[in-house]
Amino acid sequence: MLLEQIHDPSDLKKLNLKQLRQLAEELRGEIVRVVSERGGHLASNLGMVELTIAIHYVFDAPEDKLIMDVGHQSYAHKLLTGRYEAFQHLRQRDGACGFPLTEESEYDAFTAGHASTAISAALGMARTRDIMRGDYNVVAVVGDGALTGGMSYEALNDAGQNETRMIVILNDNDMSIAKNVGAVSRYLTRMRQSKGYIAMKQGVRSKLENGHRFARAFYRVLNRTRNSLRSLFVDDQFFAALGFKYIGPVDGHDLKHLIRVLRSTRDNSLPQLIHVVTQKGRGYRPAEDHPDVYHGVAPFYMESGASKSETRVSSGSVAARELIALADNDIRVCAVTAAMPAGTGMIQFQQAHPDRFFDVAIAEEHAVTMAAGMAAQGMKPYVAIYSTFLQRAYDQIMLDVCRNGLPVTFLVDRAGLVGEDGATHQGVFDLSYLRSIPGLIVAAPRDVRDLKKLIELSHETDRPMAIRYPRDCEDLGPGIQSQREFGVGEWELISDGRDVMIFAVGRMVQLSMQASIELMGKGVSAGVVDARFVAPMDRDMLLERACGVKLVVTVEENVINGGFGEGVLEILAKAGVSTPALTLGVPNRYIAHATVAQQLEECGLSAMDIARRVRKRLAELSEARL
Ligand SMILES: Cc1ncc(C[n+]2csc(CCOP(=O)(O)OP(=O)(O)O)c2C)c(N)n1
């Protein structure tokens, strides 16, 4: 295998074109094999193979800086930069991260995971190079999906104004996770279709090489009138107006041509944008046929492409079904997503109510303020965004929705620890960043039944509300189902305890119940309260249950700093309650990729950990009393 001989990009430069093509096939095989075992981003990576080879063939990383937007398409890059072994453990604890990570390799110039940051980061590096009188190239690789994010335009606008030397490679596969949307996407489609011009030019050139007389004459005319003729076919006004020299469209699977084009851009002193057209899922039939389904996958059988994991009903799909039912009877109900129709489950809403579904592209800030505008005119918008991506829209939630007191509901998906996607994707900050916003109701269901009730409640209230939930929500069954309907801010006593009261949020309710059983076995009577509202809190229940026990415990799948537990401590302190308290949650650091179970353990949040930590604190307290 050629791949085994590539320890860093300098080995790549020793290969001839035929070998580079063979390497491309080997890379594809390796990516499909490893992703089939470990899960990960498949289709985007298969589309990037030739482009990655060409970039490393032409540029000299790590001196030249390569910045990949989102970074989910960096697998070939990892395999070509000395991480073959780590890649065998892709997305596993201590294995290769699924995104570029500066700690992992000097070839990863910038840690990423969220979209539309690459051009800004690249511009910052290019400016630094110029100040420090360096002489390296800075190359940002941005997908057409990532180009829909506002930051990309902020960066292009800035880069173009004073002509900073940098290269932006637009990897255009016409797909975000789902089909790309928006006017810019339509514009790119027109540019791609101008490939007719390029095909014609190439056809004429090859005929010329074969000595065709008319072709030779035509090619001469074509070349002479190149610019005016080209503009008939390729409308590059948009990028030119932003101050970028536009090059393309270029076939992203034609290695020879790619290398030639990239070479022509090396060391140029202008901002340049190379428009490369690739096919998402290239080379693996199931991914070519369904690039959206194979964007990010769980482990699958290579032969058939079928998933190895059993299909589970996601919380998002439960939420979508509930919303559809509400929308059936209320024309005000609409759904908004930022490029994640399938991931958030809202694709079902789209099918049921296409005229009230809005995919605004990778534009979380816009999604929130657009929903605020709709709510201001009488709609009841539901904005479904993952916890980690909603971080982008903090100011819009704070001012455009909440300052205006508008009834927008945020369906905050993938809340809590998310597993293999790792540090950039953890949903462990939302309770902190949402809890502090005046007027916003913040709730977390303990299971799907609760999720449905919370959505019903959100429909009844005219206040802004956020409901946060993990991807998979259990159904804890009617056994512990709330016996009564609850209002905003009401918690629920699940079991009483003489020694300890555990106040738990969301998925932690179930683990706390298991912990209480474990504690009972050790002679500790621990009760559990489902603290389903983190804002406003149920002060009365808290004070009632916190007095008279030896220890108050809070458990949340959120960072401790600014989280639920700190809110509880504040209420207890202000009320003068002196019961000792233990706050359990995610430590205030970035939690790397691993399984959710491993991450829970790492944070000391498994049921056994909760029980162990409670007993330890009880022991410390009784020692202190002696
Ligand atoms: C701020 C933000 N929102 C949403 C996402 C989720 N996401 C990851 S990749 C992706 C699509 C990116 O499309 P594109 O840039 O065209 O890359 P492709 O996968 O098509 O190669 C999305 C929406 C993200 N990473 N960051």
Side-chain angles (χ1 to χ4, degrees), residues 323-337 346 349-359 370 374 379-382 459:
L323 274 194
I324 292 168
L326 292 173
D328 286 344
N329 300 310
D330 181 354
I331 196 176
R332 299 173 311 137
V333 172
C334 61
V336 180
T337 171
M346 290 301 137
F349 189 96
Q350 178 179 27
Q351 282 150 6
H353 294 287
D355 52 333
R356 280 183 273 154
F357 170 82
F358 303 94
D359 178 357
M370 201 275 296
M374 295 186 90
M379 291 296 278
K380 184 80 188 161
Y382 285 80
H459 185 236

PDB file of all heavy atoms in Angstrom, residues 323-337 346 349-359 370 374 379-382 459:
ATOM      1  N   LEU A 323     -44.920  18.930  17.489  1.00  0.00           N
ATOM      2  CA  LEU A 323     -45.118  20.229  16.823  1.00  0.00           C
ATOM      3  C   LEU A 323     -46.090  20.123  15.659  1.00  0.00           C
ATOM      4  O   LEU A 323     -46.903  21.018  15.430  1.00  0.00           O
ATOM      5  CB  LEU A 323     -43.783  20.726  16.243  1.00  0.00           C
ATOM      6  CG  LEU A 323     -42.851  21.509  17.140  1.00  0.00           C
ATOM      7  CD1 LEU A 323     -41.790  22.191  16.286  1.00  0.00           C
ATOM      8  CD2 LEU A 323     -43.628  22.548  17.938  1.00  0.00           C
ATOM      9  N   ILE A 324     -45.982  19.011  14.932  1.00  0.00           N
ATOM     10  CA  ILE A 324     -46.885  18.815  13.786  1.00  0.00           C
ATOM     11  C   ILE A 324     -48.332  18.821  14.287  1.00  0.00           C
ATOM     12  O   ILE A 324     -49.204  19.481  13.718  1.00  0.00           O
ATOM     13  CB  ILE A 324     -46.566  17.495  13.046  1.00  0.00           C
ATOM     14  CG1 ILE A 324     -45.199  17.603  12.360  1.00  0.00           C
ATOM     15  CG2 ILE A 324     -47.654  17.155  12.024  1.00  0.00           C
ATOM     16  CD1 ILE A 324     -44.644  16.280  11.846  1.00  0.00           C
ATOM     17  N   ALA A 325     -48.561  18.111  15.399  1.00  0.00           N
ATOM     18  CA  ALA A 325     -49.923  18.043  15.946  1.00  0.00           C
ATOM     19  C   ALA A 325     -50.408  19.445  16.336  1.00  0.00           C
ATOM     20  O   ALA A 325     -51.555  19.802  16.079  1.00  0.00           O
ATOM     21  CB  ALA A 325     -49.949  17.104  17.149  1.00  0.00           C
ATOM     22  N   LEU A 326     -49.509  20.232  16.922  1.00  0.00           N
ATOM     23  CA  LEU A 326     -49.907  21.588  17.298  1.00  0.00           C
ATOM     24  C   LEU A 326     -50.178  22.431  16.050  1.00  0.00           C
ATOM     25  O   LEU A 326     -51.158  23.180  15.981  1.00  0.00           O
ATOM     26  CB  LEU A 326     -48.800  22.254  18.138  1.00  0.00           C
ATOM     27  CG  LEU A 326     -48.563  21.680  19.539  1.00  0.00           C
ATOM     28  CD1 LEU A 326     -47.339  22.325  20.177  1.00  0.00           C
ATOM     29  CD2 LEU A 326     -49.801  21.906  20.420  1.00  0.00           C
ATOM     30  N   ALA A 327     -49.303  22.260  15.064  1.00  0.00           N
ATOM     31  CA  ALA A 327     -49.420  23.069  13.847  1.00  0.00           C
ATOM     32  C   ALA A 327     -50.683  22.714  13.055  1.00  0.00           C
ATOM     33  O   ALA A 327     -51.233  23.564  12.350  1.00  0.00           O
ATOM     34  CB  ALA A 327     -48.181  22.883  12.980  1.00  0.00           C
ATOM     35  N   ASP A 328     -51.131  21.470  13.198  1.00  0.00           N
ATOM     36  CA  ASP A 328     -52.354  21.055  12.487  1.00  0.00           C
ATOM     37  C   ASP A 328     -53.540  21.947  12.867  1.00  0.00           C
ATOM     38  O   ASP A 328     -54.441  22.167  12.064  1.00  0.00           O
ATOM     39  CB  ASP A 328     -52.706  19.597  12.834  1.00  0.00           C
ATOM     40  CG  ASP A 328     -51.756  18.618  12.148  1.00  0.00           C
ATOM     41  OD1 ASP A 328     -51.056  19.045  11.205  1.00  0.00           O
ATOM     42  OD2 ASP A 328     -51.707  17.439  12.558  1.00  0.00           O
ATOM     43  N   ASN A 329     -53.516  22.394  14.122  1.00  0.00           N
ATOM     44  CA  ASN A 329     -54.662  23.180  14.615  1.00  0.00           C
ATOM     45  C   ASN A 329     -54.334  24.638  14.881  1.00  0.00           C
ATOM     46  O   ASN A 329     -55.150  25.360  15.424  1.00  0.00           O
ATOM     47  CB  ASN A 329     -55.175  22.568  15.934  1.00  0.00           C
ATOM     48  CG  ASN A 329     -55.622  21.142  15.722  1.00  0.00           C
ATOM     49  OD1 ASN A 329     -56.397  20.881  14.800  1.00  0.00           O
ATOM     50  ND2 ASN A 329     -55.104  20.233  16.521  1.00  0.00           N
ATOM     51  N   ASP A 330     -53.122  25.036  14.592  1.00  0.00           N
ATOM     52  CA  ASP A 330     -52.743  26.415  14.904  1.00  0.00           C
ATOM     53  C   ASP A 330     -51.797  26.922  13.817  1.00  0.00           C
ATOM     54  O   ASP A 330     -50.629  26.515  13.751  1.00  0.00           O
ATOM     55  CB  ASP A 330     -52.043  26.443  16.294  1.00  0.00           C
ATOM     56  CG  ASP A 330     -51.647  27.850  16.691  1.00  0.00           C
ATOM     57  OD1 ASP A 330     -51.799  28.781  15.874  1.00  0.00           O
ATOM     58  OD2 ASP A 330     -51.177  28.021  17.833  1.00  0.00           O
ATOM     59  N   ILE A 331     -52.315  27.808  13.015  1.00  0.00           N
ATOM     60  CA  ILE A 331     -51.550  28.288  11.851  1.00  0.00           C
ATOM     61  C   ILE A 331     -50.322  29.106  12.267  1.00  0.00           C
ATOM     62  O   ILE A 331     -49.401  29.346  11.482  1.00  0.00           O
ATOM     63  CB  ILE A 331     -52.464  29.110  10.918  1.00  0.00           C
ATOM     64  CG1 ILE A 331     -51.816  29.263   9.549  1.00  0.00           C
ATOM     65  CG2 ILE A 331     -52.828  30.463  11.533  1.00  0.00           C
ATOM     66  CD1 ILE A 331     -52.659  29.952   8.534  1.00  0.00           C
ATOM     67  N   ARG A 332     -50.278  29.509  13.544  1.00  0.00           N
ATOM     68  CA  ARG A 332     -49.145  30.319  14.011  1.00  0.00           C
ATOM     69  C   ARG A 332     -47.875  29.481  14.213  1.00  0.00           C
ATOM     70  O   ARG A 332     -46.776  30.003  14.268  1.00  0.00           O
ATOM     71  CB  ARG A 332     -49.481  30.999  15.346  1.00  0.00           C
ATOM     72  CG  ARG A 332     -50.674  31.948  15.294  1.00  0.00           C
ATOM     73  CD  ARG A 332     -51.026  32.426  16.696  1.00  0.00           C
ATOM     74  NE  ARG A 332     -51.106  31.299  17.629  1.00  0.00           N
ATOM     75  CZ  ARG A 332     -50.608  31.288  18.868  1.00  0.00           C
ATOM     76  NH1 ARG A 332     -49.994  32.342  19.348  1.00  0.00           N
ATOM     77  NH2 ARG A 332     -50.728  30.211  19.640  1.00  0.00           N
ATOM     78  N   VAL A 333     -48.057  28.168  14.371  1.00  0.00           N
ATOM     79  CA  VAL A 333     -46.899  27.322  14.706  1.00  0.00           C
ATOM     80  C   VAL A 333     -46.040  27.082  13.465  1.00  0.00           C
ATOM     81  O   VAL A 333     -46.531  26.632  12.428  1.00  0.00           O
ATOM     82  CB  VAL A 333     -47.359  25.968  15.305  1.00  0.00           C
ATOM     83  CG1 VAL A 333     -46.179  25.015  15.471  1.00  0.00           C
ATOM     84  CG2 VAL A 333     -48.066  26.192  16.628  1.00  0.00           C
ATOM     85  N   CYS A 334     -44.757  27.416  13.573  1.00  0.00           N
ATOM     86  CA  CYS A 334     -43.837  27.172  12.463  1.00  0.00           C
ATOM     87  C   CYS A 334     -42.500  26.692  13.020  1.00  0.00           C
ATOM     88  O   CYS A 334     -42.237  26.820  14.219  1.00  0.00           O
ATOM     89  CB  CYS A 334     -43.650  28.426  11.623  1.00  0.00           C
ATOM     90  SG  CYS A 334     -42.967  29.799  12.535  1.00  0.00           S
ATOM     91  N   ALA A 335     -41.666  26.098  12.169  1.00  0.00           N
ATOM     92  CA  ALA A 335     -40.381  25.546  12.622  1.00  0.00           C
ATOM     93  C   ALA A 335     -39.244  26.158  11.819  1.00  0.00           C
ATOM     94  O   ALA A 335     -39.362  26.365  10.613  1.00  0.00           O
ATOM     95  CB  ALA A 335     -40.379  24.035  12.463  1.00  0.00           C
ATOM     96  N   VAL A 336     -38.158  26.432  12.527  1.00  0.00           N
ATOM     97  CA  VAL A 336     -36.979  27.036  11.895  1.00  0.00           C
ATOM     98  C   VAL A 336     -35.772  26.164  12.233  1.00  0.00           C
ATOM     99  O   VAL A 336     -35.612  25.744  13.383  1.00  0.00           O
ATOM    100  CB  VAL A 336     -36.737  28.469  12.439  1.00  0.00           C
ATOM    101  CG1 VAL A 336     -35.511  29.103  11.792  1.00  0.00           C
ATOM    102  CG2 VAL A 336     -37.966  29.345  12.238  1.00  0.00           C
ATOM    103  N   THR A 337     -34.941  25.876  11.246  1.00  0.00           N
ATOM    104  CA  THR A 337     -33.699  25.155  11.520  1.00  0.00           C
ATOM    105  C   THR A 337     -32.554  25.815  10.759  1.00  0.00           C
ATOM    106  O   THR A 337     -32.778  26.468   9.737  1.00  0.00           O
ATOM    107  CB  THR A 337     -33.803  23.659  11.144  1.00  0.00           C
ATOM    108  OG1 THR A 337     -32.510  23.070  11.237  1.00  0.00           O
ATOM    109  CG2 THR A 337     -34.276  23.466   9.735  1.00  0.00           C
ATOM    110  N   MET A 346     -36.658  17.933  12.397  1.00  0.00           N
ATOM    111  CA  MET A 346     -37.654  18.856  11.852  1.00  0.00           C
ATOM    112  C   MET A 346     -38.001  18.566  10.393  1.00  0.00           C
ATOM    113  O   MET A 346     -38.928  19.142   9.839  1.00  0.00           O
ATOM    114  CB  MET A 346     -37.188  20.310  12.005  1.00  0.00           C
ATOM    115  CG  MET A 346     -37.181  20.768  13.437  1.00  0.00           C
ATOM    116  SD  MET A 346     -38.825  20.633  14.201  1.00  0.00           S
ATOM    117  CE  MET A 346     -38.400  19.949  15.807  1.00  0.00           C
ATOM    118  N   PHE A 349     -41.472  17.808  10.155  1.00  0.00           N
ATOM    119  CA  PHE A 349     -42.341  18.991  10.143  1.00  0.00           C
ATOM    120  C   PHE A 349     -42.383  19.565   8.730  1.00  0.00           C
ATOM    121  O   PHE A 349     -43.429  19.966   8.237  1.00  0.00           O
ATOM    122  CB  PHE A 349     -41.825  20.031  11.142  1.00  0.00           C
ATOM    123  CG  PHE A 349     -42.780  21.176  11.347  1.00  0.00           C
ATOM    124  CD1 PHE A 349     -43.670  21.171  12.401  1.00  0.00           C
ATOM    125  CD2 PHE A 349     -42.798  22.261  10.468  1.00  0.00           C
ATOM    126  CE1 PHE A 349     -44.575  22.230  12.584  1.00  0.00           C
ATOM    127  CE2 PHE A 349     -43.688  23.316  10.638  1.00  0.00           C
ATOM    128  CZ  PHE A 349     -44.575  23.296  11.703  1.00  0.00           C
ATOM    129  N   GLN A 350     -41.221  19.572   8.097  1.00  0.00           N
ATOM    130  CA  GLN A 350     -41.135  20.093   6.727  1.00  0.00           C
ATOM    131  C   GLN A 350     -42.092  19.332   5.810  1.00  0.00           C
ATOM    132  O   GLN A 350     -42.775  19.915   4.970  1.00  0.00           O
ATOM    133  CB  GLN A 350     -39.701  19.950   6.217  1.00  0.00           C
ATOM    134  CG  GLN A 350     -39.508  20.410   4.791  1.00  0.00           C
ATOM    135  CD  GLN A 350     -38.060  20.269   4.332  1.00  0.00           C
ATOM    136  OE1 GLN A 350     -37.322  19.415   4.831  1.00  0.00           O
ATOM    137  NE2 GLN A 350     -37.657  21.095   3.406  1.00  0.00           N
ATOM    138  N   GLN A 351     -42.119  17.990   6.003  1.00  0.00           N
ATOM    139  CA  GLN A 351     -42.988  17.184   5.146  1.00  0.00           C
ATOM    140  C   GLN A 351     -44.469  17.477   5.431  1.00  0.00           C
ATOM    141  O   GLN A 351     -45.285  17.532   4.514  1.00  0.00           O
ATOM    142  CB  GLN A 351     -42.689  15.692   5.346  1.00  0.00           C
ATOM    143  CG  GLN A 351     -41.416  15.283   4.604  1.00  0.00           C
ATOM    144  CD  GLN A 351     -40.666  14.140   5.275  1.00  0.00           C
ATOM    145  OE1 GLN A 351     -41.151  13.553   6.249  1.00  0.00           O
ATOM    146  NE2 GLN A 351     -39.493  13.820   4.762  1.00  0.00           N
ATOM    147  N   ALA A 352     -44.788  17.692   6.709  1.00  0.00           N
ATOM    148  CA  ALA A 352     -46.189  17.893   7.078  1.00  0.00           C
ATOM    149  C   ALA A 352     -46.668  19.316   6.782  1.00  0.00           C
ATOM    150  O   ALA A 352     -47.802  19.515   6.361  1.00  0.00           O
ATOM    151  CB  ALA A 352     -46.378  17.574   8.561  1.00  0.00           C
ATOM    152  N   HIS A 353     -45.788  20.284   7.007  1.00  0.00           N
ATOM    153  CA  HIS A 353     -46.193  21.691   6.836  1.00  0.00           C
ATOM    154  C   HIS A 353     -45.093  22.451   6.098  1.00  0.00           C
ATOM    155  O   HIS A 353     -44.444  23.338   6.670  1.00  0.00           O
ATOM    156  CB  HIS A 353     -46.429  22.343   8.210  1.00  0.00           C
ATOM    157  CG  HIS A 353     -47.586  21.767   8.958  1.00  0.00           C
ATOM    158  ND1 HIS A 353     -48.897  22.013   8.615  1.00  0.00           N
ATOM    159  CD2 HIS A 353     -47.627  20.922  10.014  1.00  0.00           C
ATOM    160  CE1 HIS A 353     -49.704  21.357   9.433  1.00  0.00           C
ATOM    161  NE2 HIS A 353     -48.960  20.681  10.291  1.00  0.00           N
ATOM    162  N   PRO A 354     -44.888  22.121   4.818  1.00  0.00           N
ATOM    163  CA  PRO A 354     -43.754  22.726   4.102  1.00  0.00           C
ATOM    164  C   PRO A 354     -43.795  24.247   4.062  1.00  0.00           C
ATOM    165  O   PRO A 354     -42.750  24.896   4.053  1.00  0.00           O
ATOM    166  CB  PRO A 354     -43.872  22.135   2.682  1.00  0.00           C
ATOM    167  CG  PRO A 354     -45.206  21.510   2.602  1.00  0.00           C
ATOM    168  CD  PRO A 354     -45.660  21.204   3.978  1.00  0.00           C
ATOM    169  N   ASP A 355     -44.992  24.819   4.086  1.00  0.00           N
ATOM    170  CA  ASP A 355     -45.084  26.281   3.986  1.00  0.00           C
ATOM    171  C   ASP A 355     -44.768  26.970   5.308  1.00  0.00           C
ATOM    172  O   ASP A 355     -44.617  28.187   5.358  1.00  0.00           O
ATOM    173  CB  ASP A 355     -46.495  26.681   3.525  1.00  0.00           C
ATOM    174  CG  ASP A 355     -47.564  26.037   4.392  1.00  0.00           C
ATOM    175  OD1 ASP A 355     -47.301  24.948   4.963  1.00  0.00           O
ATOM    176  OD2 ASP A 355     -48.655  26.620   4.529  1.00  0.00           O
ATOM    177  N   ARG A 356     -44.649  26.187   6.379  1.00  0.00           N
ATOM    178  CA  ARG A 356     -44.309  26.815   7.667  1.00  0.00           C
ATOM    179  C   ARG A 356     -42.997  26.263   8.228  1.00  0.00           C
ATOM    180  O   ARG A 356     -42.767  26.260   9.426  1.00  0.00           O
ATOM    181  CB  ARG A 356     -45.462  26.599   8.660  1.00  0.00           C
ATOM    182  CG  ARG A 356     -46.582  27.597   8.421  1.00  0.00           C
ATOM    183  CD  ARG A 356     -47.675  27.450   9.435  1.00  0.00           C
ATOM    184  NE  ARG A 356     -48.666  26.467   9.040  1.00  0.00           N
ATOM    185  CZ  ARG A 356     -49.432  25.781   9.896  1.00  0.00           C
ATOM    186  NH1 ARG A 356     -49.289  25.968  11.200  1.00  0.00           N
ATOM    187  NH2 ARG A 356     -50.313  24.924   9.459  1.00  0.00           N
ATOM    188  N   PHE A 357     -42.177  25.780   7.319  1.00  0.00           N
ATOM    189  CA  PHE A 357     -40.861  25.264   7.706  1.00  0.00           C
ATOM    190  C   PHE A 357     -39.791  26.112   7.023  1.00  0.00           C
ATOM    191  O   PHE A 357     -39.881  26.388   5.825  1.00  0.00           O
ATOM    192  CB  PHE A 357     -40.719  23.801   7.273  1.00  0.00           C
ATOM    193  CG  PHE A 357     -39.321  23.291   7.413  1.00  0.00           C
ATOM    194  CD1 PHE A 357     -38.845  22.854   8.638  1.00  0.00           C
ATOM    195  CD2 PHE A 357     -38.454  23.272   6.323  1.00  0.00           C
ATOM    196  CE1 PHE A 357     -37.537  22.409   8.777  1.00  0.00           C
ATOM    197  CE2 PHE A 357     -37.152  22.829   6.453  1.00  0.00           C
ATOM    198  CZ  PHE A 357     -36.702  22.393   7.684  1.00  0.00           C
ATOM    199  N   PHE A 358     -38.771  26.498   7.785  1.00  0.00           N
ATOM    200  CA  PHE A 358     -37.737  27.365   7.214  1.00  0.00           C
ATOM    201  C   PHE A 358     -36.347  26.847   7.569  1.00  0.00           C
ATOM    202  O   PHE A 358     -35.960  26.846   8.735  1.00  0.00           O
ATOM    203  CB  PHE A 358     -37.903  28.800   7.722  1.00  0.00           C
ATOM    204  CG  PHE A 358     -39.273  29.338   7.410  1.00  0.00           C
ATOM    205  CD1 PHE A 358     -40.297  29.233   8.350  1.00  0.00           C
ATOM    206  CD2 PHE A 358     -39.557  29.876   6.166  1.00  0.00           C
ATOM    207  CE1 PHE A 358     -41.577  29.678   8.053  1.00  0.00           C
ATOM    208  CE2 PHE A 358     -40.842  30.315   5.862  1.00  0.00           C
ATOM    209  CZ  PHE A 358     -41.850  30.217   6.811  1.00  0.00           C
ATOM    210  N   ASP A 359     -35.630  26.374   6.542  1.00  0.00           N
ATOM    211  CA  ASP A 359     -34.213  26.052   6.717  1.00  0.00           C
ATOM    212  C   ASP A 359     -33.449  27.273   6.234  1.00  0.00           C
ATOM    213  O   ASP A 359     -33.438  27.575   5.036  1.00  0.00           O
ATOM    214  CB  ASP A 359     -33.834  24.807   5.902  1.00  0.00           C
ATOM    215  CG  ASP A 359     -32.356  24.480   6.014  1.00  0.00           C
ATOM    216  OD1 ASP A 359     -31.616  25.245   6.677  1.00  0.00           O
ATOM    217  OD2 ASP A 359     -31.921  23.462   5.446  1.00  0.00           O
ATOM    218  N   MET A 370     -34.726  36.065  12.854  1.00  0.00           N
ATOM    219  CA  MET A 370     -35.819  35.891  11.891  1.00  0.00           C
ATOM    220  C   MET A 370     -37.057  35.369  12.623  1.00  0.00           C
ATOM    221  O   MET A 370     -38.179  35.854  12.415  1.00  0.00           O
ATOM    222  CB  MET A 370     -35.368  34.891  10.814  1.00  0.00           C
ATOM    223  CG  MET A 370     -36.119  34.947   9.506  1.00  0.00           C
ATOM    224  SD  MET A 370     -37.625  33.975   9.496  1.00  0.00           S
ATOM    225  CE  MET A 370     -37.006  32.317   9.690  1.00  0.00           C
ATOM    226  N   MET A 374     -40.876  36.948  13.146  1.00  0.00           N
ATOM    227  CA  MET A 374     -42.137  36.231  12.928  1.00  0.00           C
ATOM    228  C   MET A 374     -43.022  36.322  14.169  1.00  0.00           C
ATOM    229  O   MET A 374     -44.228  36.579  14.076  1.00  0.00           O
ATOM    230  CB  MET A 374     -41.855  34.758  12.603  1.00  0.00           C
ATOM    231  CG  MET A 374     -41.107  34.567  11.301  1.00  0.00           C
ATOM    232  SD  MET A 374     -40.957  32.820  10.865  1.00  0.00           S
ATOM    233  CE  MET A 374     -42.446  32.612   9.894  1.00  0.00           C
ATOM    234  N   MET A 379     -46.664  35.061  14.938  1.00  0.00           N
ATOM    235  CA  MET A 379     -46.409  33.625  14.767  1.00  0.00           C
ATOM    236  C   MET A 379     -45.915  33.025  16.081  1.00  0.00           C
ATOM    237  O   MET A 379     -45.573  33.736  17.033  1.00  0.00           O
ATOM    238  CB  MET A 379     -45.374  33.386  13.662  1.00  0.00           C
ATOM    239  CG  MET A 379     -45.840  33.713  12.263  1.00  0.00           C
ATOM    240  SD  MET A 379     -47.206  32.683  11.687  1.00  0.00           S
ATOM    241  CE  MET A 379     -46.340  31.196  11.143  1.00  0.00           C
ATOM    242  N   LYS A 380     -45.863  31.710  16.109  1.00  0.00           N
ATOM    243  CA  LYS A 380     -45.379  30.981  17.296  1.00  0.00           C
ATOM    244  C   LYS A 380     -44.223  30.105  16.807  1.00  0.00           C
ATOM    245  O   LYS A 380     -44.384  28.903  16.556  1.00  0.00           O
ATOM    246  CB  LYS A 380     -46.559  30.151  17.814  1.00  0.00           C
ATOM    247  CG  LYS A 380     -46.307  29.404  19.079  1.00  0.00           C
ATOM    248  CD  LYS A 380     -46.428  30.283  20.312  1.00  0.00           C
ATOM    249  CE  LYS A 380     -45.964  29.508  21.521  1.00  0.00           C
ATOM    250  NZ  LYS A 380     -45.615  30.291  22.656  1.00  0.00           N
ATOM    251  N   PRO A 381     -43.040  30.686  16.642  1.00  0.00           N
ATOM    252  CA  PRO A 381     -41.937  29.926  16.037  1.00  0.00           C
ATOM    253  C   PRO A 381     -41.229  28.991  17.021  1.00  0.00           C
ATOM    254  O   PRO A 381     -41.048  29.322  18.198  1.00  0.00           O
ATOM    255  CB  PRO A 381     -40.964  31.013  15.570  1.00  0.00           C
ATOM    256  CG  PRO A 381     -41.633  32.318  15.815  1.00  0.00           C
ATOM    257  CD  PRO A 381     -42.681  32.087  16.848  1.00  0.00           C
ATOM    258  N   TYR A 382     -40.829  27.840  16.511  1.00  0.00           N
ATOM    259  CA  TYR A 382     -39.994  26.879  17.241  1.00  0.00           C
ATOM    260  C   TYR A 382     -38.665  26.795  16.504  1.00  0.00           C
ATOM    261  O   TYR A 382     -38.625  26.436  15.328  1.00  0.00           O
ATOM    262  CB  TYR A 382     -40.677  25.507  17.306  1.00  0.00           C
ATOM    263  CG  TYR A 382     -41.810  25.521  18.300  1.00  0.00           C
ATOM    264  CD1 TYR A 382     -43.044  26.065  17.961  1.00  0.00           C
ATOM    265  CD2 TYR A 382     -41.627  25.028  19.590  1.00  0.00           C
ATOM    266  CE1 TYR A 382     -44.074  26.128  18.899  1.00  0.00           C
ATOM    267  CE2 TYR A 382     -42.646  25.078  20.526  1.00  0.00           C
ATOM    268  CZ  TYR A 382     -43.866  25.630  20.183  1.00  0.00           C
ATOM    269  OH  TYR A 382     -44.873  25.702  21.108  1.00  0.00           O
ATOM    270  N   HIS A 459     -46.424  25.963  24.076  1.00  0.00           N
ATOM    271  CA  HIS A 459     -47.460  26.444  23.157  1.00  0.00           C
ATOM    272  C   HIS A 459     -48.462  27.336  23.898  1.00  0.00           C
ATOM    273  O   HIS A 459     -48.991  28.300  23.340  1.00  0.00           O
ATOM    274  CB  HIS A 459     -48.166  25.236  22.528  1.00  0.00           C
ATOM    275  CG  HIS A 459     -49.157  25.610  21.483  1.00  0.00           C
ATOM    276  ND1 HIS A 459     -50.471  25.223  21.522  1.00  0.00           N
ATOM    277  CD2 HIS A 459     -49.038  26.379  20.367  1.00  0.00           C
ATOM    278  CE1 HIS A 459     -51.106  25.718  20.474  1.00  0.00           C
ATOM    279  NE2 HIS A 459     -50.252  26.414  19.756  1.00  0.00           N
TER     280      HIS A 459
END
